[in-house]
C-alpha cells in the first residue's frame, strides 16, 4: 500500500511504530424477550455483574485507573441511568434493546455537549453499554490487543485500554477526545495517542507510525518517516528529562520573572497521587460534577466535604473554586432551563445561579465553611455586567450571616470573576472583583464567533488571534494597574506553543491540567521577558484624557490627564 499521512489532535505525547490493528464496533445478536418481570431481572443481574467486573478491574489496576472505574461504577449504579430502560421493558421491549437504546440516547446527549469534558464522558457510557450487553447476551470480550500495535478505532473505552499491553504501542482514533478518561490514562502511562483523525480507509495497511505530540499518523510509513520519528523520540526523551528537573521548581522566565503555575481540577479524585509541590495552587476547580446531569442536587454538607478535601490537599496553597457553571452544554435536571432557543447565549453560569438563589446560597454557605481550612477563593463564571458581581456579593453576605446565626465556623472568601464574555473584557475597569481569571476557551469562541468543536471553523477559534490577545493584554494591564491578580485558566494555558504569547501579553499566572505543568514550566524558562506587548494599540484617543475623564477611558489614561 502507498504511504499515507494524516493529521488529528494530539492527546498523549510519544512516538510509536508497529503493526496496525483495527478495532470495529461490536455487533450483538438480539435476545428473545421474556415477560417484563423476567427482563427487569435480567437487566438487574447484568448491571450487577458489570459492577462486579469493574470493581475487580479497579482493585487490580489501582491508582488513577481505579478512580476512573469507580466513576463508571457510580454511573452504572445511578438509578436515573436505568429508569428509561425499565420503562421501555414495561412496554414490552426486550432488556438488551431497551438498555442499548437508553444508553445510545445518553451518549448522544453527552456528545452534543460543547464542553470537551462532558463530550469525553460519552466514551464511559459506551463502555458501560457494551459491558452490560455482553452479560445480557452471554458474549465474550474482544481478543486482547497485541503488544507494540498501533490500534485504530472510532473510539476506545477505558476498560479496553486497561486490558491491553501498550508497551511500544499507540492509539489512533477517528473520533475520541483529549479530555476523555482514556486520554488521561494514556498520558499517565506514556502511551502515544492521537484523536480526531476522521474516517480512514486503513484496509491493506499493515504498519503504522504515530506522533502523539503533533497529532500525526502515518500508514505504511517509509524508511525516511521512521528515521525522522526515531530522532523525534530521542529529542522527546531529552525534553522529558529537562521537564522532570523543572517540575517541582518555581516557574520563572529566562530573565528571572516569576510566573505562577496552578492546576485545573474537575474532580477531586484527580488530585490522588499528585504532589501539591508541583504547582502554586489550584486556579480552577469545576464544581459541575457535584451536580449530576440526572438531578439529585448535592446538599451543603456534601459540598463542604468536597471543598475541604481539596483545601487539605493544597496544604496552604490558594484554591480557586468556580461556582456552578451549568446551562448551555451542561444541562442539569431540575435546575437548567429546557428548550432555550440558544442555550449557549441563554441562562447559564452566574445568570442561572442568580436566577436560583436557593441553590446558589447552598453552594456559597458550603464554600464559606470550607474557607476556614485554607485560602479559598470563589470565582463566578460568565459574568457580563457589574450588577451580577454585586448581586453575588450580597448573597455571600447573606450566606455568612446565616452561618453566624447557626454558630457555624466560616470565613469570607475572596470573590473574583472569570473574564470570558467580551463585554466584560472590553470594560473590565467597571468590575470590582478581588481577582480576574481569563477563560480563554469561551473568550476565544465569542470573540471569533467560531466553535472549537465544529471542524469547519475550529481553526478560527485561535487564542493567538490579535483581537483575543489584545483583550487578554488589556485585562492583564488593568490588573497590574490596580494591584489585583489576573490569571488564565483555559486550555491555552497548558499549551507550551501558546505560552510565550500569553507571557508577552502580560500574564504572570497560568492554570492548566496537571499533566501540562512540566512542559509549561519548560516553555516559561525558555522565554525572555519583554517590557511591553508591542501589538497593543491604544483603545481610546489621547484626547479623552483629562482630569474629569481620566477614570472613564477604559483605564488607558492616568489621573493627571496624560496618556498612561
Amino acid at each position: 500500500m502507498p504511504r499515507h499521512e494524516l493529521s488529528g489532535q494530539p492527546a498523549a505525547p510519544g512516538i510509536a511504530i508497529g503493526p496496525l490493528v483495527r478495532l470495529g464496533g461490536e455487533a450483538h445478536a438480539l435476545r428473545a424477550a421474556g415477560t417484563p418481570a423476567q427482563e427487569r431481572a435480567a437487566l438487574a443481574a447484568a448491571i450487577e455483574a458489570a459492577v462486579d467486573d469493574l470493581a475487580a478491574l479497579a482493585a487490580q489496576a489501582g491508582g488513577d485507573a481505579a478512580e476512573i472505574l469507580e466513576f463508571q461504577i457510580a454511573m452504572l449504579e445511578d438509578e436515573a441511568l436505568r429508569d428509561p430502560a425499565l420503562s421501555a421493558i414495561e412496554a414490552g421491549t426486550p432488556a438488551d434493546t431497551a438498555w442499548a437504546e437508553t444508553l445510545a440516547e445518553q451518549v448522544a446527549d453527552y456528545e452534543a455537549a460543547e464542553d470537551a469534558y462532558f463530550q469525553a464522558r460519552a466514551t464511559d457510557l459506551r463502555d458501560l453499554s457494551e459491558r452490560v450487553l455482553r452479560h445480557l447476551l452471554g458474549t465474550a470480550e474482544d481478543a486482547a490487543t497485541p503488544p507494540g500495535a498501533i490500534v485504530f478505532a472510532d473510539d476506545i473505552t477505558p476498560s479496553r485500554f486497561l486490558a491491553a499491553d501498550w508497551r511500544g504501542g499507540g492509539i489512533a482514533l477517528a473520533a475520541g477526545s483529549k479530555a476523555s478518561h482514556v486520554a488521561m490514562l494514556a498520558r499517565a502511562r506514556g502511551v502515544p495517542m492521537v484523536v480526531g483523525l476522521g474516517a480512514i480507509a486503513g484496509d491493506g495497511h499493515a504498519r503504522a507510525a504515530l506522533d502523539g505530540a503533533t497529532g500525526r499518523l502515518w500508514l505504511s510509513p517509509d524508511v525516511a518517516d521512521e528515521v525522522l520519528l526515531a530522532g523525534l523520540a530521542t529529542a522527546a526523551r531529552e525534553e522529558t528529562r529537562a521537564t522532570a528537573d523543572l517540575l517541582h521548581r518555581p516557574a520563572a522566565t529566562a530573565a528571572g520573572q516569576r510566573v505562577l503555575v496552578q492546576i485545573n481540577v474537575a474532580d477531586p479524585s484527580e488530585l490522588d497521587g499528585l504532589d501539591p509541590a508541583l504547582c502554586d495552587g489550584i486556579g480552577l476547580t469545576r464544581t459541575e460534577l457535584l451536580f449530576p446531569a440526572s438531578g439529585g442536587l448535592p446538599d451543603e454538607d456534601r459540598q463542604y466535604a468536597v471543598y475541604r478535601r481539596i483545601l487539605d490537599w493544597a496544604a496552604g496553597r490558594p484554591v480557586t473554586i468556580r461556582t456552578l457553571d451549568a446551562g448551555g452544554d451542561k444541562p442539569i435536571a431540575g435546575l437548567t432551563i429546557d428548550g432555550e432557543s440558544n442555550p449557549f447565549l441563554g441562562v447559564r453560569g452566574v445568570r442561572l445561579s442568580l436566577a436560583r438563589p436557593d441553590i446558589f446560597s447552598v453552594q456559597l454557605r458550603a464554600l464559606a465553611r470550607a474557607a476556614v481550612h485554607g485560602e479559598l477563593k470563589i470565582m463566578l463564571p460568565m459574568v457580563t455586567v457589574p450588577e451580577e458581581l454585586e448581586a453575588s456579593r450580597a448573597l455571600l453576605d447573606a450566606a455568612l450571616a446565616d452561618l453566624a446565626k447557626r454558630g457555624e465556623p466560616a470565613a469570607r472568601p475572596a470573590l473574583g470573576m472569570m473574564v470570558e464574555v467580551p463585554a466584560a473584557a472590553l470594560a473590565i475597569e467597571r468590575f470590582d472583583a478581588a481577582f480576574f481569571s481569563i477563560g480563554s476557551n469561551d473568550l476565544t469562541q465569542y470573540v471569533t464567533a467560531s466553535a472549537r468543536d465544529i471542524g469547519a471553523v475550529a481553526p478560527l477559534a485561535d487564542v493567538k488571534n490579535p483581537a483575543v490577545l489584545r483583550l487578554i493584554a488589556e485585562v492583564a494591564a488593568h490588573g497590574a494597574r490596580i494591584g489585583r491578580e489576573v490569571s488564565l485558566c483555559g486550555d491555552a494555558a497548558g499549551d507550551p506553543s501558546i505560552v510565550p504569547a500569553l507571557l508577552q501579553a502580560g500574564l504572570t499566572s497560568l492554570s492548566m491540567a496537571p499533566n501540562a505543568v512540566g512542559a509549561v514550566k519548560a516553555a516559561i524558562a525558555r522565554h525572555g521577558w519583554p517590557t511591553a506587548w508591542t501589538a497593543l494599540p491604544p483603545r481610546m484617543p489621547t484626547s479623552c484624557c483629562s482630569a474629569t475623564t481620566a477614570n472613564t477611558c477604559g483605564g488607558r489614561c492616568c489621573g493627571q490627564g496624560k496618556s498612561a
Side-chain angles (χ1 to χ4, degrees), residues 128-470:
L128 300 181
S129 176
E130 292 294 338
R131 186 170 291 278
V132 171
L133 283 173
R134 282 196 295 269
H135 282 289
L136 275 169
L137 300 168
T139 55
E141 294 193 47
D142 288 347
T145 301
I150 308 297
V151 171
F152 175 71
D154 288 338
D155 207 346
I156 189 170
T157 63
S159 62
R160 180 64 189 254
F161 177 92
L162 292 169
D165 181 351
W166 294 105
R167 287 175 295 179
I171 303 170
L173 300 182
S177 166
K178 62 183 180 181
S180 70
H181 276 150
V182 168
M184 295 177 191
L185 290 169
R187 288 189 289 269
R189 286 156 174 73
V191 180
M193 179 174 174
V194 176
V195 300
L197 287 160
I200 301 174
D203 294 341
H205 293 283
R207 190 169 174 81
L210 179 69
D211 182 357
T214 62
R216 290 189 293 173
L217 173 70
W218 291 262
L219 301 176
S220 300
D222 58 25
V223 173
D225 293 328
E226 299 202 18
V227 169
L228 170 65
L229 289 170
L232 291 175
T234 299
R237 286 192 293 270
E238 293 174 354
E239 177 72 15
T240 298
R241 284 193 291 269
T243 295
D245 291 340
L246 292 170
L247 190 59
H248 290 88
R249 297 182 189 176
T253 67
Q257 171 70 41
R258 180 79 165 88
V259 178
L260 296 179
V261 172
Q262 303 180 88
I263 62 172
N264 299 338
V265 177
D267 187 325
S269 65
E270 295 174 13
L271 300 173
D272 295 342
L274 282 182
D275 182 354
L278 67 86
C279 65
D280 296 300
I282 297 176
L284 168 64
T285 306
R286 301 178 176 93
T287 58
E288 288 75 52
L289 282 181
L290 291 174
F291 295 76
S294 59
L297 304 180
D299 61 20
E300 182 183 318
D301 287 340
R302 180 184 169 198
Q303 293 190 54
Y304 161 76
V306 172
Y307 305 146
R308 170 75 186 274
R309 175 184 173 186
I310 295 170
L311 284 164
D312 288 345
W313 176 88
R317 295 168 179 80
V319 173
T320 302
I321 296 183
R322 185 176 68 187
T323 57
L324 180 63
D325 190 17
D329 57 339
K330 291 170 275 190
I332 295 175
L335 181 58
T336 50
I337 298 172
D338 295 330
E340 283 187 304
S341 60
N342 192 338
F344 300 108
L345 299 179
V347 183
R348 56 175 298 203
V350 73
R351 304 169 187 177
L352 179 62
S353 292
L354 291 173
R356 291 295 305 271
D358 53 329
I359 304 297
F360 194 20
S361 295
V362 171
Q363 185 169 34
L364 292 173
R365 287 196 301 270
L367 289 165
R369 287 172 59 191
V372 172
H373 305 287
E375 186 181 346
L376 185 149
K377 302 192 289 185
I378 296 175
M379 183 163 66
L380 304 172
M382 290 296 294
V383 175
T384 307
V385 294
E387 289 78 8
E388 292 167 331
L389 181 60
E390 297 311 314
S392 299
R393 184 175 286 116
L395 285 174
L396 179 59
D397 290 340
L400 288 162
D402 288 344
L403 293 170
K405 288 179 183 178
R406 285 164 36 183
E408 192 82 58
R412 175 181 288 279
L415 186 64
M417 60 178 277
M418 291 195 74
V419 182
E420 50 194 337
V421 177
L426 285 164
I428 194 64
E429 70 282 350
R430 299 178 61 211
F431 296 85
D432 184 23
F435 62 93
F436 305 94
S437 183
I438 297 168
S440 61
N441 300 346
D442 275 327
L443 182 64
T444 301
Q445 292 187 100
Y446 288 137
V447 169
T448 62
S450 50
R452 293 170 296 144
D453 61 336
I454 298 178
V457 299
L460 296 175
D462 184 359
V463 73
K464 290 185 284 188
N465 182 300
V468 179
L469 286 176
R470 174 173 173 165

Side-chain angles (χ1 to χ4, degrees), residues 7-104:
S7 293
Q9 301 171 26
I15 303 294
I17 304 171
L20 180 66
V21 173
R22 179 181 288 272
L23 299 183
E26 294 187 45
H28 296 289
L30 298 177
R31 72 190 288 276
T35 66
Q38 291 171 330
E39 295 301 290
R40 283 197 308 272
L43 180 59
I47 290 174
E48 183 178 355
V51 168
D52 290 343
D53 288 347
L54 293 169
L57 194 54
Q60 179 182 359
D64 55 348
E67 294 286 350
I68 289 169
L69 294 168
E70 286 164 8
F71 170 81
Q72 288 194 336
I73 290 172
M75 294 179 75
L76 200 52
E77 291 180 334
D78 185 352
E79 292 183 2
L81 184 68
R82 69 183 78 177
D83 281 347
L86 293 174
S87 297
I89 288 171
E90 287 299 318
T93 303
D96 57 325
T97 303
W99 176 255
E101 291 178 351
T102 293
L103 270 291

Side-chain angles (χ1 to χ4, degrees), residues 505-521:
L507 289 171
T508 57
S509 179
L510 303 173
S511 189
M512 65 214 63
N515 56 54
V517 168
V520 168
K521 285 186 176 182

